[in-house]
Amino acid sequence: MTNRIIDIARGHDIIHNGTVDQGSYGMAPYIAYNGSSNYSQRASGALKGLNGFTVGGWFQLTGSDALMAVWSPAANQVWRLYVNGSAPTFYVSSTGANSFSVAAAAITAGQWYFVAARYTPSTELAIWLNDTKTTNTTSIPASLYDSTSANFSLGSDHGGSNLLTGKASMVWMSHEPLADNLLTLLFQMSRHLYGI
Amino acid sequence: MAVQERNSEMVSLLSADFIQKQDSGYIAGIVTGTILALPGLVAFWPGGVMLGDGDDVQVPSGASFYVGGPTPGGYAGVRLHYASNQAYIDVKDGDLNIRIDTSTGSTTRAVFLNSGGLLLLNTTAPGSNGSGAVIYAESGALKVIGSSGTVTTLGVA
C-alpha cells in the first residue's frame, strides 16, 4: 500500500508521491512539500466540483506554486489554486482550455495563510486570503469542463508540475458555495493555531 | 472607596474550568468539528498521512466486499466474496463475469451480458461428474455431459 493523505470526511485519500514530511505547527497538523519531488494526487471524480464548490485550507506559502487543482494544461483545465507570482489566484475553466480567474493580494513568503476559493456558477468567483475577499463576476461559466483525464492534485497542479514549496494544513472541499460569513468564521476561529 | 485588586492568579486558577480563547488544543478540536459539519463537505484532509505498510486491503475469508449497495445478490451493486471454493465476481464493460476456478483469473466461465443472455465461453470437454450433468460450450456449440459420460449437443455452433 502506498503512502496516503487521509480524508477523514468521505474517504478521498490522496496518493502521496515522494518523501513524506509531516509534522504539526502547535496543534495544527501539516504536510510539507519540498518544491522538487513531493506532491499528492488522486483521480478527480467528485473533486471536480463541476456545478459549484468551495475549497479552503491553511498554507505556508513561499512563492509561485500550485496549492491544489484539477488541472491539466493539455486542454483539460477544470480549476486550480495557484500562486501567480506572489498573488494566490483561483482559476476555473468551462472549456478545458480557456480559464477565468480572480487574484488575491500578494503574500509574504514564509507566512501561514488561510486560502479559500468559491465557485458560484453563472455568478461569481471569489478568493479569500485570510479574511480579505476578492471577487470576479464577469462572464462566470454555468458549469466547469468535465475532464476525464485531469487528476486532483495537492501540492502541485498537474502530475507534479508547479510543485509547492511550503506546507498544507486543514484542507477541505465542499460542493456548496459556502456563505461569506462561514468562511470568515473559519478563518477567525482557526487563525490562532497558525499564529495569525 | 475600596479598590478591588486583581488576583493575578485568577486566570490560571480558572483555566481548569474555563476554556481560554487561544487554547490551541481547544481551537484544534472545534476547527476540526466545524469543518466536518460544513454543508456539502466532500473531503477534509487535516494533514495526516497513512504510511504504506505493504499490506493489501483484505476482507477475511467468508466475508464480503460490496461496491454500490450492500445487497447479497449484488442487485444494487457488486459483491465480491471469497471462501474455500475460490469464487470471483466482477463487472467489466457492463457485463457480469463469474469465475469459479483456481487459476489466476484468465478463465472466465460465464458472462451475463449487458445486452442480454448468458454467454458460456468455449472450453475443452470437462470430465463427467457423478453428481449430475455438466453444461458447457465447446467450439461454439452448447453441450451437456451426463453423469455417465454421454455427451449431447444441445445447440450447434
Side-chain angles (χ1 to χ4, degrees), chain A residues 49-78:
Chain A
L50 301 178
N51 300 303
F53 67 95
T54 312
V55 291
W58 281 86
F59 297 89
Q60 189 186 58
L61 303 173
T62 55
S64 186
D65 305 317
L67 308 184
M68 54 198 300
V70 179
W71 192 267
S72 170
N76 277 282
Q77 304 169 0
V78 183

PDB file of all heavy atoms in Angstrom, chain A residues 49-78:
ATOM      1  N   GLY A  49     -15.968  19.271  -8.778  1.00  0.00           N
ATOM      2  CA  GLY A  49     -16.831  20.387  -8.376  1.00  0.00           C
ATOM      3  C   GLY A  49     -17.460  21.106  -9.548  1.00  0.00           C
ATOM      4  O   GLY A  49     -17.513  22.343  -9.575  1.00  0.00           O
ATOM      5  N   LEU A  50     -17.956  20.376 -10.499  1.00  0.00           N
ATOM      6  CA  LEU A  50     -18.390  20.968 -11.770  1.00  0.00           C
ATOM      7  C   LEU A  50     -19.513  21.984 -11.626  1.00  0.00           C
ATOM      8  O   LEU A  50     -19.605  22.922 -12.408  1.00  0.00           O
ATOM      9  CB  LEU A  50     -18.827  19.845 -12.728  1.00  0.00           C
ATOM     10  CG  LEU A  50     -17.778  18.796 -13.057  1.00  0.00           C
ATOM     11  CD1 LEU A  50     -18.362  17.728 -13.968  1.00  0.00           C
ATOM     12  CD2 LEU A  50     -16.559  19.435 -13.709  1.00  0.00           C
ATOM     13  N   ASN A  51     -20.362  21.799 -10.625  1.00  0.00           N
ATOM     14  CA  ASN A  51     -21.553  22.647 -10.519  1.00  0.00           C
ATOM     15  C   ASN A  51     -21.539  23.543  -9.291  1.00  0.00           C
ATOM     16  O   ASN A  51     -22.586  23.863  -8.735  1.00  0.00           O
ATOM     17  CB  ASN A  51     -22.802  21.758 -10.528  1.00  0.00           C
ATOM     18  CG  ASN A  51     -22.907  20.953 -11.806  1.00  0.00           C
ATOM     19  OD1 ASN A  51     -22.933  21.511 -12.897  1.00  0.00           O
ATOM     20  ND2 ASN A  51     -22.922  19.643 -11.675  1.00  0.00           N
ATOM     21  N   GLY A  52     -20.346  23.943  -8.889  1.00  0.00           N
ATOM     22  CA  GLY A  52     -20.205  24.838  -7.745  1.00  0.00           C
ATOM     23  C   GLY A  52     -19.502  24.156  -6.595  1.00  0.00           C
ATOM     24  O   GLY A  52     -19.750  22.986  -6.317  1.00  0.00           O
ATOM     25  N   PHE A  53     -18.608  24.898  -5.936  1.00  0.00           N
ATOM     26  CA  PHE A  53     -17.885  24.319  -4.812  1.00  0.00           C
ATOM     27  C   PHE A  53     -17.146  25.407  -4.044  1.00  0.00           C
ATOM     28  O   PHE A  53     -17.048  26.563  -4.497  1.00  0.00           O
ATOM     29  CB  PHE A  53     -16.888  23.252  -5.279  1.00  0.00           C
ATOM     30  CG  PHE A  53     -15.742  23.782  -6.096  1.00  0.00           C
ATOM     31  CD1 PHE A  53     -14.526  24.099  -5.498  1.00  0.00           C
ATOM     32  CD2 PHE A  53     -15.867  23.962  -7.467  1.00  0.00           C
ATOM     33  CE1 PHE A  53     -13.470  24.590  -6.248  1.00  0.00           C
ATOM     34  CE2 PHE A  53     -14.810  24.444  -8.226  1.00  0.00           C
ATOM     35  CZ  PHE A  53     -13.612  24.765  -7.612  1.00  0.00           C
ATOM     36  N   THR A  54     -16.642  25.008  -2.886  1.00  0.00           N
ATOM     37  CA  THR A  54     -15.750  25.856  -2.101  1.00  0.00           C
ATOM     38  C   THR A  54     -14.602  24.978  -1.610  1.00  0.00           C
ATOM     39  O   THR A  54     -14.840  23.848  -1.177  1.00  0.00           O
ATOM     40  CB  THR A  54     -16.471  26.465  -0.886  1.00  0.00           C
ATOM     41  OG1 THR A  54     -17.722  27.015  -1.299  1.00  0.00           O
ATOM     42  CG2 THR A  54     -15.632  27.553  -0.237  1.00  0.00           C
ATOM     43  N   VAL A  55     -13.391  25.482  -1.718  1.00  0.00           N
ATOM     44  CA  VAL A  55     -12.230  24.775  -1.172  1.00  0.00           C
ATOM     45  C   VAL A  55     -11.486  25.740  -0.247  1.00  0.00           C
ATOM     46  O   VAL A  55     -11.586  26.969  -0.397  1.00  0.00           O
ATOM     47  CB  VAL A  55     -11.256  24.263  -2.257  1.00  0.00           C
ATOM     48  CG1 VAL A  55     -11.856  23.150  -3.067  1.00  0.00           C
ATOM     49  CG2 VAL A  55     -10.798  25.402  -3.143  1.00  0.00           C
ATOM     50  N   GLY A  56     -10.765  25.175   0.688  1.00  0.00           N
ATOM     51  CA  GLY A  56     -10.009  26.045   1.581  1.00  0.00           C
ATOM     52  C   GLY A  56      -8.995  25.272   2.392  1.00  0.00           C
ATOM     53  O   GLY A  56      -8.942  24.037   2.351  1.00  0.00           O
ATOM     54  N   GLY A  57      -8.211  26.011   3.130  1.00  0.00           N
ATOM     55  CA  GLY A  57      -7.212  25.400   3.986  1.00  0.00           C
ATOM     56  C   GLY A  57      -6.185  26.432   4.405  1.00  0.00           C
ATOM     57  O   GLY A  57      -6.280  27.619   4.041  1.00  0.00           O
ATOM     58  N   TRP A  58      -5.237  25.967   5.195  1.00  0.00           N
ATOM     59  CA  TRP A  58      -4.131  26.829   5.604  1.00  0.00           C
ATOM     60  C   TRP A  58      -2.872  26.388   4.869  1.00  0.00           C
ATOM     61  O   TRP A  58      -2.581  25.195   4.788  1.00  0.00           O
ATOM     62  CB  TRP A  58      -3.926  26.738   7.113  1.00  0.00           C
ATOM     63  CG  TRP A  58      -4.918  27.556   7.873  1.00  0.00           C
ATOM     64  CD1 TRP A  58      -6.167  27.182   8.262  1.00  0.00           C
ATOM     65  CD2 TRP A  58      -4.748  28.913   8.317  1.00  0.00           C
ATOM     66  NE1 TRP A  58      -6.795  28.208   8.925  1.00  0.00           N
ATOM     67  CE2 TRP A  58      -5.946  29.280   8.974  1.00  0.00           C
ATOM     68  CE3 TRP A  58      -3.722  29.843   8.224  1.00  0.00           C
ATOM     69  CZ2 TRP A  58      -6.124  30.540   9.540  1.00  0.00           C
ATOM     70  CZ3 TRP A  58      -3.900  31.102   8.783  1.00  0.00           C
ATOM     71  CH2 TRP A  58      -5.086  31.444   9.435  1.00  0.00           C
ATOM     72  N   PHE A  59      -2.155  27.367   4.348  1.00  0.00           N
ATOM     73  CA  PHE A  59      -0.952  27.066   3.575  1.00  0.00           C
ATOM     74  C   PHE A  59       0.174  28.002   4.016  1.00  0.00           C
ATOM     75  O   PHE A  59      -0.047  29.207   4.208  1.00  0.00           O
ATOM     76  CB  PHE A  59      -1.204  27.263   2.077  1.00  0.00           C
ATOM     77  CG  PHE A  59      -2.241  26.344   1.509  1.00  0.00           C
ATOM     78  CD1 PHE A  59      -3.585  26.703   1.503  1.00  0.00           C
ATOM     79  CD2 PHE A  59      -1.881  25.110   0.989  1.00  0.00           C
ATOM     80  CE1 PHE A  59      -4.549  25.855   0.988  1.00  0.00           C
ATOM     81  CE2 PHE A  59      -2.840  24.249   0.465  1.00  0.00           C
ATOM     82  CZ  PHE A  59      -4.184  24.630   0.471  1.00  0.00           C
ATOM     83  N   GLN A  60       1.336  27.419   4.177  1.00  0.00           N
ATOM     84  CA  GLN A  60       2.533  28.244   4.360  1.00  0.00           C
ATOM     85  C   GLN A  60       3.159  28.394   2.983  1.00  0.00           C
ATOM     86  O   GLN A  60       3.625  27.417   2.391  1.00  0.00           O
ATOM     87  CB  GLN A  60       3.518  27.604   5.333  1.00  0.00           C
ATOM     88  CG  GLN A  60       4.666  28.515   5.713  1.00  0.00           C
ATOM     89  CD  GLN A  60       5.702  27.808   6.561  1.00  0.00           C
ATOM     90  OE1 GLN A  60       6.266  26.802   6.140  1.00  0.00           O
ATOM     91  NE2 GLN A  60       5.949  28.311   7.750  1.00  0.00           N
ATOM     92  N   LEU A  61       3.126  29.585   2.464  1.00  0.00           N
ATOM     93  CA  LEU A  61       3.493  29.827   1.070  1.00  0.00           C
ATOM     94  C   LEU A  61       4.843  30.515   0.967  1.00  0.00           C
ATOM     95  O   LEU A  61       5.238  31.275   1.854  1.00  0.00           O
ATOM     96  CB  LEU A  61       2.422  30.697   0.402  1.00  0.00           C
ATOM     97  CG  LEU A  61       0.996  30.128   0.445  1.00  0.00           C
ATOM     98  CD1 LEU A  61      -0.002  31.138  -0.076  1.00  0.00           C
ATOM     99  CD2 LEU A  61       0.924  28.843  -0.342  1.00  0.00           C
ATOM    100  N   THR A  62       5.509  30.249  -0.139  1.00  0.00           N
ATOM    101  CA  THR A  62       6.794  30.893  -0.351  1.00  0.00           C
ATOM    102  C   THR A  62       6.880  31.636  -1.671  1.00  0.00           C
ATOM    103  O   THR A  62       7.630  32.608  -1.783  1.00  0.00           O
ATOM    104  CB  THR A  62       7.944  29.870  -0.314  1.00  0.00           C
ATOM    105  OG1 THR A  62       7.678  28.852  -1.268  1.00  0.00           O
ATOM    106  CG2 THR A  62       8.075  29.256   1.067  1.00  0.00           C
ATOM    107  N   GLY A  63       6.136  31.183  -2.679  1.00  0.00           N
ATOM    108  CA  GLY A  63       6.268  31.861  -3.965  1.00  0.00           C
ATOM    109  C   GLY A  63       5.319  31.306  -4.992  1.00  0.00           C
ATOM    110  O   GLY A  63       4.222  30.871  -4.657  1.00  0.00           O
ATOM    111  N   SER A  64       5.734  31.300  -6.230  1.00  0.00           N
ATOM    112  CA  SER A  64       4.867  30.939  -7.344  1.00  0.00           C
ATOM    113  C   SER A  64       4.721  29.423  -7.444  1.00  0.00           C
ATOM    114  O   SER A  64       5.483  28.754  -8.151  1.00  0.00           O
ATOM    115  CB  SER A  64       5.455  31.506  -8.645  1.00  0.00           C
ATOM    116  OG  SER A  64       4.563  31.279  -9.704  1.00  0.00           O
ATOM    117  N   ASP A  65       3.724  28.879  -6.719  1.00  0.00           N
ATOM    118  CA  ASP A  65       3.495  27.440  -6.680  1.00  0.00           C
ATOM    119  C   ASP A  65       2.007  27.151  -6.808  1.00  0.00           C
ATOM    120  O   ASP A  65       1.171  28.025  -6.582  1.00  0.00           O
ATOM    121  CB  ASP A  65       3.970  26.848  -5.341  1.00  0.00           C
ATOM    122  CG  ASP A  65       5.428  27.173  -5.054  1.00  0.00           C
ATOM    123  OD1 ASP A  65       6.230  27.079  -5.991  1.00  0.00           O
ATOM    124  OD2 ASP A  65       5.719  27.497  -3.893  1.00  0.00           O
ATOM    125  N   ALA A  66       1.695  25.908  -7.146  1.00  0.00           N
ATOM    126  CA  ALA A  66       0.300  25.466  -7.149  1.00  0.00           C
ATOM    127  C   ALA A  66      -0.045  24.903  -5.770  1.00  0.00           C
ATOM    128  O   ALA A  66       0.761  24.193  -5.162  1.00  0.00           O
ATOM    129  CB  ALA A  66       0.084  24.409  -8.212  1.00  0.00           C
ATOM    130  N   LEU A  67      -1.240  25.234  -5.276  1.00  0.00           N
ATOM    131  CA  LEU A  67      -1.687  24.704  -3.990  1.00  0.00           C
ATOM    132  C   LEU A  67      -2.484  23.429  -4.199  1.00  0.00           C
ATOM    133  O   LEU A  67      -2.188  22.397  -3.610  1.00  0.00           O
ATOM    134  CB  LEU A  67      -2.547  25.743  -3.262  1.00  0.00           C
ATOM    135  CG  LEU A  67      -1.950  27.145  -3.116  1.00  0.00           C
ATOM    136  CD1 LEU A  67      -2.863  28.021  -2.285  1.00  0.00           C
ATOM    137  CD2 LEU A  67      -0.578  27.061  -2.494  1.00  0.00           C
ATOM    138  N   MET A  68      -3.516  23.509  -5.004  1.00  0.00           N
ATOM    139  CA  MET A  68      -4.342  22.345  -5.286  1.00  0.00           C
ATOM    140  C   MET A  68      -5.082  22.601  -6.587  1.00  0.00           C
ATOM    141  O   MET A  68      -5.288  23.758  -6.981  1.00  0.00           O
ATOM    142  CB  MET A  68      -5.303  22.074  -4.122  1.00  0.00           C
ATOM    143  CG  MET A  68      -6.151  23.260  -3.750  1.00  0.00           C
ATOM    144  SD  MET A  68      -6.913  23.152  -2.103  1.00  0.00           S
ATOM    145  CE  MET A  68      -7.896  21.696  -2.244  1.00  0.00           C
ATOM    146  N   ALA A  69      -5.496  21.500  -7.253  1.00  0.00           N
ATOM    147  CA  ALA A  69      -6.062  21.694  -8.579  1.00  0.00           C
ATOM    148  C   ALA A  69      -6.662  20.422  -9.133  1.00  0.00           C
ATOM    149  O   ALA A  69      -6.320  19.309  -8.707  1.00  0.00           O
ATOM    150  CB  ALA A  69      -4.970  22.189  -9.543  1.00  0.00           C
ATOM    151  N   VAL A  70      -7.575  20.593 -10.073  1.00  0.00           N
ATOM    152  CA  VAL A  70      -7.941  19.562 -11.053  1.00  0.00           C
ATOM    153  C   VAL A  70      -7.631  20.207 -12.381  1.00  0.00           C
ATOM    154  O   VAL A  70      -8.434  20.948 -12.939  1.00  0.00           O
ATOM    155  CB  VAL A  70      -9.432  19.168 -10.950  1.00  0.00           C
ATOM    156  CG1 VAL A  70      -9.760  18.100 -12.005  1.00  0.00           C
ATOM    157  CG2 VAL A  70      -9.764  18.658  -9.559  1.00  0.00           C
ATOM    158  N   TRP A  71      -6.441  19.964 -12.865  1.00  0.00           N
ATOM    159  CA  TRP A  71      -5.906  20.845 -13.897  1.00  0.00           C
ATOM    160  C   TRP A  71      -4.865  20.118 -14.727  1.00  0.00           C
ATOM    161  O   TRP A  71      -3.908  19.576 -14.205  1.00  0.00           O
ATOM    162  CB  TRP A  71      -5.247  22.043 -13.213  1.00  0.00           C
ATOM    163  CG  TRP A  71      -4.890  23.201 -14.086  1.00  0.00           C
ATOM    164  CD1 TRP A  71      -3.696  23.413 -14.698  1.00  0.00           C
ATOM    165  CD2 TRP A  71      -5.727  24.304 -14.410  1.00  0.00           C
ATOM    166  NE1 TRP A  71      -3.739  24.592 -15.384  1.00  0.00           N
ATOM    167  CE2 TRP A  71      -4.981  25.171 -15.230  1.00  0.00           C
ATOM    168  CE3 TRP A  71      -7.038  24.658 -14.086  1.00  0.00           C
ATOM    169  CZ2 TRP A  71      -5.492  26.359 -15.736  1.00  0.00           C
ATOM    170  CZ3 TRP A  71      -7.552  25.834 -14.582  1.00  0.00           C
ATOM    171  CH2 TRP A  71      -6.779  26.678 -15.394  1.00  0.00           C
ATOM    172  N   SER A  72      -5.055  20.101 -16.017  1.00  0.00           N
ATOM    173  CA  SER A  72      -4.035  19.598 -16.927  1.00  0.00           C
ATOM    174  C   SER A  72      -3.890  20.620 -18.041  1.00  0.00           C
ATOM    175  O   SER A  72      -4.889  21.020 -18.645  1.00  0.00           O
ATOM    176  CB  SER A  72      -4.437  18.244 -17.522  1.00  0.00           C
ATOM    177  OG  SER A  72      -3.548  17.899 -18.559  1.00  0.00           O
ATOM    178  N   PRO A  73      -2.687  21.065 -18.307  1.00  0.00           N
ATOM    179  CA  PRO A  73      -2.524  22.112 -19.310  1.00  0.00           C
ATOM    180  C   PRO A  73      -2.937  21.673 -20.705  1.00  0.00           C
ATOM    181  O   PRO A  73      -3.203  22.515 -21.560  1.00  0.00           O
ATOM    182  CB  PRO A  73      -1.026  22.430 -19.243  1.00  0.00           C
ATOM    183  CG  PRO A  73      -0.399  21.224 -18.629  1.00  0.00           C
ATOM    184  CD  PRO A  73      -1.412  20.656 -17.705  1.00  0.00           C
ATOM    185  N   ALA A  74      -2.998  20.365 -20.932  1.00  0.00           N
ATOM    186  CA  ALA A  74      -3.339  19.871 -22.264  1.00  0.00           C
ATOM    187  C   ALA A  74      -4.851  19.858 -22.472  1.00  0.00           C
ATOM    188  O   ALA A  74      -5.476  18.810 -22.618  1.00  0.00           O
ATOM    189  CB  ALA A  74      -2.756  18.479 -22.468  1.00  0.00           C
ATOM    190  N   ALA A  75      -5.454  21.047 -22.444  1.00  0.00           N
ATOM    191  CA  ALA A  75      -6.889  21.223 -22.719  1.00  0.00           C
ATOM    192  C   ALA A  75      -7.776  20.461 -21.742  1.00  0.00           C
ATOM    193  O   ALA A  75      -8.887  20.072 -22.091  1.00  0.00           O
ATOM    194  CB  ALA A  75      -7.210  20.830 -24.156  1.00  0.00           C
ATOM    195  N   ASN A  76      -7.281  20.220 -20.554  1.00  0.00           N
ATOM    196  CA  ASN A  76      -8.082  19.562 -19.529  1.00  0.00           C
ATOM    197  C   ASN A  76      -8.037  20.363 -18.230  1.00  0.00           C
ATOM    198  O   ASN A  76      -7.791  19.827 -17.148  1.00  0.00           O
ATOM    199  CB  ASN A  76      -7.598  18.128 -19.300  1.00  0.00           C
ATOM    200  CG  ASN A  76      -8.178  17.173 -20.316  1.00  0.00           C
ATOM    201  OD1 ASN A  76      -9.334  16.767 -20.208  1.00  0.00           O
ATOM    202  ND2 ASN A  76      -7.392  16.847 -21.330  1.00  0.00           N
ATOM    203  N   GLN A  77      -8.257  21.654 -18.344  1.00  0.00           N
ATOM    204  CA  GLN A  77      -8.276  22.527 -17.182  1.00  0.00           C
ATOM    205  C   GLN A  77      -9.679  22.533 -16.572  1.00  0.00           C
ATOM    206  O   GLN A  77     -10.665  22.707 -17.288  1.00  0.00           O
ATOM    207  CB  GLN A  77      -7.875  23.943 -17.586  1.00  0.00           C
ATOM    208  CG  GLN A  77      -6.513  24.010 -18.267  1.00  0.00           C
ATOM    209  CD  GLN A  77      -6.239  25.367 -18.889  1.00  0.00           C
ATOM    210  OE1 GLN A  77      -7.058  26.274 -18.819  1.00  0.00           O
ATOM    211  NE2 GLN A  77      -5.075  25.508 -19.508  1.00  0.00           N
ATOM    212  N   VAL A  78      -9.762  22.353 -15.271  1.00  0.00           N
ATOM    213  CA  VAL A  78     -11.053  22.405 -14.572  1.00  0.00           C
ATOM    214  C   VAL A  78     -11.017  23.536 -13.547  1.00  0.00           C
ATOM    215  O   VAL A  78     -11.736  24.512 -13.668  1.00  0.00           O
ATOM    216  CB  VAL A  78     -11.387  21.060 -13.905  1.00  0.00           C
ATOM    217  CG1 VAL A  78     -12.773  21.120 -13.260  1.00  0.00           C
ATOM    218  CG2 VAL A  78     -11.339  19.921 -14.926  1.00  0.00           C
TER     219      VAL A  78
END
